[in-house]
Amino acid sequence: MSIFVDEHTKVIVQGLTGGQGRFHGLRNRDYGTQVVGGVTPGKGGADVEGIPVFNSVREAVDATGASASFVVVPPKFAANAIIEAAEGGITFIVCITEGIPARDEAVTYNRLVEEFPGVRLLGPNCPGIISPGKCNIGITSGDIALAGGPVGIVSRSGTLTYQALHELSQQGVGQTTCVGIGGDPVPGTNFIDCLAAFQADPETKAVMMIGEIGGSEEERAAEWIKLNMTKPVVAYVAGVTAPPGRKMGHAGAIISGSKGTAQAKMEALRDAGVHVCANPTEAGAKMVDIVRAM
Amino acid sequence: MDLFEYQGKQYFARYGIAVSPGDVADTVEAAIAVAERVGYPVVVKAQVKVGGRGKAGGVKLANNVDEVRTHAGNILGLDIKGHVVRRLWIERSSDIAKEYYASFTLDRPNKTHLGMLSAQGGVEIEIVAEENPEAIAFLSIDPVRGLDLATSRRWVAEAELDEVAREQTAELLVKLYDCYTEGDCDLAEINPLILTPEGVVHALDAKVTLDENASFRHPEWEAFREDEFEDPREKMAKAKGLNYIGLDGTVGIIANGAGLAMSTLDVVNQVGGTAANFLDIGGGANADVMAAALELINADPKVKSIFVNIFGGITRVDEVAQGVLEALERVKITSPIVLRLDGTNAEAGRALLAPHVSANLMTEPTMLDAARRAVALAK
């Protein structure tokens, strides 16, 4: 099984007529994802290589029965696009947009929680989600993933998500689902949401977790793992050599004072019984060992 | 972006938060002119983005023109923890009856805004938080609902501020919250927020960090960008739209994505090398961006080899490879380049580079292999 999405998930792309939306939307469809529509205000009635375009999410949902949306619009429009998706009846929203102001993210997250409790937001600033062989929503290259499980992947960093997939697929170890939660300060979906879903998914036998400096999500995840997780977890945390006080690209990746260091996160995870590795390659090799011993 | 104190005070003033009358000065003469205008006594304050300037002699009281001349002359050019003082803030000195602390920031675990208010200001709030946490009144604020005056009134009472200061502070905190939210700050902090013997509350310092993702709705931030960068490499990177942090090592790093860039630094370190920089060329980087990145790293004399680590997602590897080739045509890259390319259109990217492989341009199949090669070349 997969988490959050599967082969029946119908997806619309908000921003399908833009450069990035078109490239990745079509790539997702080529992968086999049911990309059933696009949304661009004012361009309703057009189509992108056979995918119908609608003026609003509501129209697209009414016409296609989509339940998921891939939001790929510029930062200044992203918050409104997410809310429009929720209002239009979408229950799973993937937003890859990088550079959304933290204030907009905080308001959007809390509006979703208060007004649309059944809606899950993945991202923003994330690579998306791929359930190999079933569904790919986002910007992950489908050919680096391998279907059939048994590993679930959850990662805060985009490119390191690809690296993790690559390390496993090369060794013939497949994935149930790979979720990129994104590196922004207010992620819609966090480590614990994904760990809980993987723990509950019978086909996922082990979980690979990729963290990075900043915030305390890894520490919170460690606490949760300690209390609830029975499946083996392998983790890698990026940024051991990052200097304090400097934002390492992601809005969330910053060591402030003594908080948020890679060392503290690795210690917390180790203490929770997680296999903590020094780099993505080691983490991949460790996971391969675990899976082969099953 | 961290603001200087004077910029923070200018930003506060936009939102109606009371600050002491004052102005900036880059020379002794200008400092005297400001002092004469605002009236004695004045405080002469070094403008540096580092704490502990008072102890370093960067903050002085001046009662007359001669004292302003002496202090301004001494402080301009002073080196405070590696930051050379180029600008002063001169303001009317305030008598202080009480010092408080107030700030707003994002509470990431709870995904709400967090207000902190304390009747014990003037010292490092981290120390108060550790030694005497009950002296801080924490307020969790729903970003959808915001902060209203009634809540703010309850908050100042809970923080046990002096009676005479409460109503003024409650009003000031609502303005500070507006500055924090409407003004798109990551942090808006006043320490100390003072109560004068006359019973007036105002901000004596300003610590503001702006959320650069919100630049598109704040054209007024352009004025703050002057003097922002100390490191000339970072200034050049900013001009080219690159996400760059200068470090001290010998292996130049170019990666796509912040996580991969951080991880590249870690791996270079693990195989015995040192990174010269952090450089994330971002999602969707094309040939121009890649060429600009190589030129930037090439300009760093400490760099002995360059490690380009790309895992394509939204970034297309063939475009990155094209950028490397274009850069090599445009400028003479003096250090050997080691590339590791995977992900979207990786095959096409490797094929583009294949005819150009030499002792100065090579590819490696994995991140670890490429790190080892780059580190060996840097020695």
Side-chain angles (χ1 to χ4, degrees):
Chain A
M1 265 171 64
S2 47
I3 66 167
F4 305 145
V5 293
D6 60 25
E7 63 272 34
H8 307 295
T9 305
K10 288 184 179 170
V11 185
I12 56 166
V13 181
Q14 287 172 262
L16 182 66
T17 56
Q20 298 289 4
R22 181 188 174 93
F23 180 83
H24 294 287
L26 290 174
R27 221 154 139 257
N28 287 171
R29 183 179 68 169
D30 291 346
Y31 187 77
T33 311
Q34 292 199 50
V35 179
V36 296
V39 176
T40 303
K43 293 199 178 160
D47 78 301
V48 171
E49 301 204 2
I51 304 172
V53 176
F54 302 89
N55 283 319
S56 70
V57 172
R58 171 63 71 191
E59 277 177 38
V61 168
D62 286 348
T64 66
S67 64
S69 178
F70 176 18
V71 176
V72 48
V73 302
K76 63 167 91 169
F77 307 118
N80 284 341
I82 291 167
I83 295 297
E84 191 202 334
E87 284 172 343
I90 294 290
T91 54
F92 186 64
I93 304 165
V94 177
C95 180
I96 64 152
T97 305
E98 179 178 2
I100 302 175
R103 185 214 332 169
D104 296 5
E105 290 186 8
V107 170
T108 304
Y109 176 88
N110 284 283
R111 277 196 66 188
L112 289 179
V113 169
E114 289 160 24
E115 299 169 39
F116 308 96
V119 171
R120 171 171 300 286
L121 169 66
L122 178 61
N125 193 10
C126 77
I129 183 168
I130 178 166
S131 196
K134 296 174 181 169
C135 181
N136 184 9
I137 308 175
I139 61 180
T140 306
S141 190
D143 55 15
I144 57 171
L146 184 66
V151 178
I153 299 176
V154 56
S155 166
R156 239 175 95 188
S157 147
T159 33
L160 286 177
T161 313
Y162 316 148
Q163 183 71 39
L165 280 166
H166 183 70
E167 299 283 357
L168 295 180
S169 298
Q170 270 192 325
Q171 304 290 322
V173 171
Q175 306 89 33
T176 50
T177 303
C178 172
V179 193
I181 58 176
D184 273 7
V186 193
T189 293
N190 63 21
F191 279 124
I192 296 173
D193 297 326
C194 300
L195 290 168
F198 282 133
Q199 172 68 22
D201 171 34
E203 281 177 18
T204 301
K205 307 292 185 203
V207 178
M208 188 146 155
M209 177 180 156
I210 312 283
E212 64 185 27
I213 56 163
S216 55
E217 287 295 308
E218 288 81 2
E219 287 87 337
R220 286 153 58 92
E223 262 172 57
W224 191 91
I225 290 169
K226 206 173 185 174
L227 295 174
N228 304 286
M229 198 91 190
T230 58
K231 299 175 181 180
V233 180
V234 173
Y236 165 66
V237 180
V240 177
T241 46
R246 309 298 305 272
K247 255 187 205 177
M248 293 304 238
H250 288 162
I254 184 167
I255 299 169
S256 25
S258 59
K259 287 189 194 123
T261 64
Q263 284 82 356
K265 291 170 187 298
M266 292 194 289
E267 236 162 76
L269 288 163
R270 231 177 255 128
D271 185 50
V274 172
H275 304 273
V276 179
C277 297
N279 59 59
T281 308
E282 258 182 42
K286 181 74 200 169
M287 183 54 93
V288 170
D289 286 349
I290 289 172
V291 170
R292 295 220 168 116
M294 278 174 176
Chain B
M1 180 182 16
D2 292 332
L3 297 188
F4 287 106
E5 175 198 3
Y6 75 90
Q7 294 171 330
K9 285 184 171 169
Q10 289 165 351
Y11 208 50
F12 281 173
R14 294 174 74 98
Y15 292 89
I17 296 162
V19 294
S20 306
D23 208 341
V24 291
D26 294 350
T27 63
V28 174
E29 291 67 38
I32 290 169
V34 175
E36 297 283 325
R37 195 164 73 239
V38 300
Y40 296 100
V42 296
V43 185
V44 181
K45 303 173 92 173
Q47 295 300 292
V48 282
K49 291 176 183 176
V50 62
R53 63 185 169 163
K55 275 188 196 151
V59 180
K60 295 283 182 191
L61 183 71
N63 290 300
N64 53 52
V65 65
D66 289 333
E67 289 182 13
V68 172
R69 189 176 289 119
T70 305
H71 294 318
N74 288 341
I75 296 172
L76 280 169
L78 189 68
D79 187 313
I80 302 178
K81 296 179 187 171
H83 296 247
V84 177
V85 181
R86 298 199 185 91
R87 180 162 283 183
L88 303 170
W89 171 257
I90 315 290
E91 72 179 19
R92 177 76 161 275
S93 168
S94 303
D95 291 328
I96 299 171
K98 283 287 175 59
E99 293 183 298
Y100 308 136
Y101 171 94
S103 72
F104 292 102
T105 186
L106 180 68
D107 181 356
R108 288 173 52 177
N110 292 316
K111 299 178 170 75
T112 55
H113 296 309
L114 177 69
M116 289 199 274
L117 181 63
S118 177
Q120 296 180 20
V123 289
E124 292 236 6
I125 197 68
E126 287 84 359
I127 295 170
V128 178
E130 206 156 283
E131 292 174 357
N132 196 11
E134 64 277 10
I136 304 171
F138 296 92
L139 182 69
S140 175
I141 304 160
D142 180 337
V144 180
R145 288 183 185 77
L147 175 66
D148 60 28
L149 190 56
T151 307
S152 189
R153 283 182 181 131
R154 284 197 296 277
W155 188 25
V156 295
E158 193 202 328
E160 297 179 345
L161 300 195
D162 301 80
E163 285 290 349
V164 58
R166 288 188 186 179
E167 184 58 22
Q168 290 176 72
T169 305
E171 286 171 17
L172 181 143
L173 288 170
V174 171
K175 289 174 185 165
L176 185 63
Y177 181 79
D178 286 346
C179 175
Y180 166 74
T181 51
E182 297 300 311
D184 285 299
C185 304
D186 282 339
L187 170 73
E189 180 185 81
I190 305 176
N191 190 22
L193 175 69
I194 63 158
L195 173 67
T196 67
E198 298 78 39
V200 178
V201 171
H202 83 267
L204 207 57
D205 198 0
K207 195 168 172 200
V208 173
T209 305
L210 301 174
D211 175 6
E212 296 211 51
N213 281 350
S215 297
F216 65 82
R217 54 188 171 215
H218 294 283
E220 77 276 15
W221 290 0
E222 274 312 309
F224 295 147
R225 291 188 199 281
E226 298 163 22
D227 307 330
E228 189 192 344
F229 300 101
E230 304 280 331
D231 186 325
R233 296 175 297 177
E234 293 183 14
K235 204 161 190 164
M236 190 166 149
K238 192 79 186 174
K240 294 183 182 218
L242 297 169
N243 188 352
Y244 176 97
I245 295 173
L247 303 167
D248 295 323
T250 56
V251 180
I253 306 284
I254 299 175
N256 67 313
L260 187 65
M262 269 189 275
S263 188
T264 309
L265 260 56
D266 294 348
V267 170
V268 163
N269 194 262
Q270 278 163 21
V271 299
T274 51
N277 63 277
F278 167 97
L279 202 175
D280 167 18
I281 57 172
N286 57 20
D288 280 345
V289 173
M290 190 66 216
L294 275 173
E295 285 174 41
L296 172 69
I297 297 226
N298 192 54
D300 184 344
K302 290 201 297 295
V303 169
K304 298 285 182 282
S305 68
I306 302 174
F307 178 6
V308 178
N309 191 7
I310 302 295
F311 208 119
I314 202 161
T315 304
R316 299 165 208 177
V317 173
D318 53 335
E319 292 198 0
V320 169
Q322 191 59 45
V324 172
L325 296 177
E326 278 176 25
L328 289 174
E329 273 175 26
R330 285 219 292 257
V331 284
K332 176 154 175 45
I333 305 290
T334 45
S335 310
I337 303 171
V338 182
L339 295 114
R340 175 277 180 144
L341 305 170
D342 267 310
T344 307
N345 299 358
E347 291 287 330
R350 285 191 220 111
L352 268 174
L353 288 176
H356 302 274
V357 166
S358 71
N360 284 319
L361 182 70
M362 59 211 88
T363 60
E364 287 287 349
T366 73
M367 186 162 155
L368 268 178
D369 291 338
R372 288 198 185 100
R373 187 84 175 260
V375 169
L377 286 166
K379 289 204 164 145

